[in-house]
Amino acid sequence: MGTTAELTRLTAHELSDLLRRREVSAVEVTEAYLERIQAVDGQVKAFLTVTADQARKAAQEADRRFATEPAESLPPLLGVPGALKDNMCTIGIKTTCGSKILHNFIPPYDATVVEKTKAAGAPILGKCNMDEFAMGSSTENSGFFPTANPYDLERVPGGSSGGSAAAVAADEAAWALGSDTGGSIRQPAAFCGLVGLKPTYGAVSRYGLVAFASSLDQIGPLTKDVTDAALVMNLIAGKDERDATSVDRPHPDYTSFLGREIKGLRVGIPKEYFVEGLDTEVREKVMAAIGALANLGAELVEVSLPHTEYALATYYLIAPAECSSNLARYDGVRYGHRSTTAPDSVTMFKKTRQEGFGPEVKRRIMLGTYALSAGYYDAYYLKAQKVRTLFRRDFEEAFKQCDVIASSTTPTVAFKRGEKVDNPLAMYLSDAFTIPAPLAALPALSVPCAYSAEGLPIGLQLQGRHFDEGTLFQVAYALEQALGLKRRHPEIPTGSGKEVR
Ligand code: GLN
């Protein structure tokens, strides 16, 4: 097989085919990615930690398995390098969650998804940048540095899984895992021209995922195409005894949905998602893609999700409330940053948190503490929980009329770095379409559907019934094939790269 650059451009399943045919070795593939990271990550800044040694060892082990085990029994992602958002615990490898308060945290255990990745023989290239504690939509809230969008280095890759998305879009990893609480997989997928899936709540174990808002958080794939997303979902889905919220039910082989006809399938178009604030070009291109689904024989039905306008307000009570409680554990006592200038322990707690958390995290802790405080609990937190039920009912009604719900993933294409950092509300609004699904615990997927006139990716979101990821893959794959959209490989100036040891 050809040059290093060609290898890193391939999808995970294409790489897997080459590896299986022994046309390339896992060591060669991993070296190609490490070279690519070295060449471009100085510009993209997708990685917080590159784990070159571990990746190389895993690649050697993969080659040993290719040489000795029967091809049919080999896991699909064997030897195919991936990257992890830095909120997934990795034994012996720093896990910062994008926060200074965890700058020195080295977990003593692996998250379940990490264990599964290792068992499947996929080399892990490193840990990706993110908004601090997954709070944000641009990766500008990282406690370390912002990540660039590979399609335009002046723009944001989205967030909070911006590092994971940028790494895959810049061909610095074949696939990545992100986490999504209110859009953090789907919005960066849309901004970076990738497929991103937020699974049904409970489909994937959260064990070892640093908690932000525990009733919403889910881990999911960020990939170059729909087939890869199905392969990664096959890898990570399933009940885990160590996460009581993971659901015990069989998961189908998600690749079995690829290539199934969508004739007669009902695609709901929610009128509340095609409103003011949705960019005209994005609207047109998303509607054109929905038209392509109709050409394939899908039936388009207008549906209504009447409570959509309350989603942001509800999310910004529930998520901060859960975050304020989850983040109470960062006190400098057992692990993480500890202020060294405090004369007594109470001052130490205060200073540790003052020094360790960034402004957005502090804002959320304050909002959440307020919403949960005596006297305001009923008015804010309890009310928000009740409204949450209304979203669930909205979707239940809508899914009587349709099988999936299609919309734009985001109101606009990727915005410029610095454009929204001083305006939290504007930043929050960029999640208007991605927040309802997690509030209702539903699966939702973003698939590239067009490029803007400026050459920036546009994503189409498909929301589905609980545990019906299969239909999302089915429709997304049909769309991908019908549109034949070629993934672009943005030019990234090489040089001043990252040193990879
Ligand atoms: N952008 C949203 C927030 O800031 C969602 C983040 C996420 O999904 N982790 O909370």
Side-chain angles (χ1 to χ4, degrees):
M1 170 68 196
T3 65
T4 295
E6 285 165 3
L7 276 180
T8 56
R9 286 179 171 211
L10 300 177
T11 61
H13 63 92
E14 286 166 345
L15 277 174
S16 176
D17 289 346
L18 285 183
L19 284 162
R20 241 146 254 269
R21 294 202 302 266
R22 313 284 305 272
E23 287 178 30
V24 66
S25 73
V27 167
E28 284 171 281
V29 173
T30 290
E31 288 303 334
Y33 276 105
L34 292 172
E35 248 175 63
R36 177 73 183 163
I37 293 170
Q38 171 116 32
V40 300
D41 207 55
Q43 314 281 330
V44 179
K45 296 188 160 76
F47 283 92
L48 288 168
T49 307
V50 177
T51 51
D53 286 347
Q54 273 208 6
R56 287 186 174 119
K57 282 202 193 92
Q60 284 163 6
E61 172 61 14
D63 281 333
R64 195 194 57 72
R65 290 180 71 179
F66 280 119
T68 54
E69 292 176 27
E72 323 76 68
S73 67
L74 295 171
L77 292 172
L78 181 64
V80 183
L84 305 170
K85 187 175 182 177
D86 206 22
N87 58 352
M88 295 167 208
C89 284
T90 40
I91 188 165
I93 301 288
K94 241 184 347 186
T95 299
T96 67
C97 218
S99 181
K100 291 210 171 80
I101 212 157
L102 286 176
H103 71 95
N104 56 0
F105 173 53
I106 299 181
Y109 68 101
D110 275 332
T112 296
V113 293
V114 177
E115 270 182 5
K116 289 187 172 192
T117 302
K118 288 181 176 173
I124 296 169
L125 295 162
K127 307 294 296 287
C128 294
N129 198 18
M130 55 183 286
D131 287 300
E132 184 176 6
F133 283 101
M135 296 170 202
S137 312
S138 68
T139 315
E140 290 165 293
N141 294 342
S142 163
F144 304 103
F145 45 76
T147 295
N149 187 315
Y151 283 85
D152 175 350
L153 298 174
E154 307 273 290
R155 290 179 191 260
V156 305
S160 64
S161 312
S164 298
V168 178
D171 295 325
E172 297 178 66
W175 60 278
L177 293 182
S179 69
D180 190 312
T181 304
S184 280
I185 291 174
R186 292 160 287 153
Q187 185 253 23
F191 281 8
C192 292
L194 302 174
V195 176
L197 170 74
K198 184 209 86 80
T200 309
Y201 186 78
V204 178
S205 169
R206 292 182 296 111
Y207 178 76
L209 173 71
V210 181
F212 160 16
S214 308
S215 77
L216 301 161
D217 301 339
Q218 271 293 290
I219 294 171
L222 280 150
T223 58
K224 295 181 182 182
D225 70 5
V226 179
T227 307
D228 285 1
L231 285 172
V232 177
M233 184 60 183
N234 278 350
L235 171 71
I236 59 177
K239 168 76 184 159
D240 179 5
E241 290 306 326
R242 297 173 297 187
D243 172 5
T245 63
S246 71
V247 176
D248 193 6
R249 66 183 344 262
H251 287 270
D253 171 1
Y254 289 106
T255 62
S256 70
F257 291 87
L258 310 177
R260 289 194 198 171
E261 269 197 42
I262 62 161
K263 203 162 174 216
L265 208 118
R266 297 164 306 162
V267 177
I269 320 291
K271 56 173 188 268
E272 292 81 3
Y273 285 55
F274 292 86
V275 286
E276 216 192 295
L278 174 61
D279 176 83
T280 321
E281 188 185 11
V282 172
R283 169 203 289 262
E284 276 167 16
K285 300 218 154 138
V286 167
M287 283 318 290
I290 292 175
L293 293 175
N295 289 341
L296 293 171
E299 187 192 326
L300 306 186
V301 270
E302 189 176 291
V303 294
S304 176
L305 298 161
H307 296 94
T308 302
E309 63 174 305
Y310 304 111
L312 268 179
T314 307
Y315 174 86
Y316 278 99
L317 286 167
I318 291 175
E322 293 185 16
C323 119
S324 71
S325 146
N326 273 325
L327 271 55
R329 64 178 66 123
Y330 303 104
D331 55 10
V333 175
R334 278 151 300 197
Y335 56 90
H337 172 72
R338 176 187 297 184
S339 175
T340 49
T341 57
D344 57 69
S345 51
V346 173
T347 320
M348 189 280 281
F349 298 145
K350 284 188 186 158
K351 289 197 113 186
T352 292
R353 289 169 70 80
Q354 248 162 34
E355 294 163 6
F357 289 137
E360 182 61 27
V361 172
K362 287 179 183 161
R363 182 179 299 123
R364 305 269 180 119
I365 293 174
M366 286 189 279
L367 282 170
T369 307
Y370 185 82
L372 289 174
S373 58
Y376 296 104
Y377 182 93
D378 287 359
Y380 293 114
Y381 184 70
L382 195 66
K383 183 87 151 278
Q385 290 293 11
K386 288 181 180 163
V387 177
R388 194 170 176 179
T389 310
L390 299 179
F391 300 120
R392 191 180 268 262
R393 287 201 198 133
D394 275 5
F395 280 109
E396 273 165 16
E397 282 306 310
F399 283 126
K400 287 180 185 159
Q401 292 164 265
C402 65
D403 304 301
V404 290
I405 293 173
S407 68
S408 177
T409 308
T410 54
T412 65
V413 292
F415 45 89
K416 291 242 164 77
R417 205 163 35 251
E419 200 178 307
K420 299 185 202 266
V421 261
D422 298 325
N423 186 346
L425 192 58
M427 192 70 95
Y428 296 171
L429 283 169
S430 70
D431 301 315
F433 305 148
T434 48
I435 273 174
L439 284 172
L442 296 171
L445 174 149
S446 181
V447 57
C449 73
Y451 290 95
S452 72
E454 284 177 293
L456 297 166
I458 296 174
L460 178 134
Q461 174 173 247
L462 296 167
Q463 305 183 80
R465 298 188 178 103
H466 290 127
F467 294 104
D468 195 15
E469 281 81 357
T471 305
L472 300 185
F473 286 128
Q474 179 184 353
V475 177
Y477 185 82
L479 183 67
E480 182 179 74
Q481 300 305 307
L483 295 175
L485 202 65
K486 280 273 161 285
R487 209 172 72 81
R488 298 187 184 171
H489 300 277
E491 268 318 306
I492 299 163
T494 53
S496 70
K498 174 164 270 166
E499 202 187 320
V500 172
R501 273 146 305 178

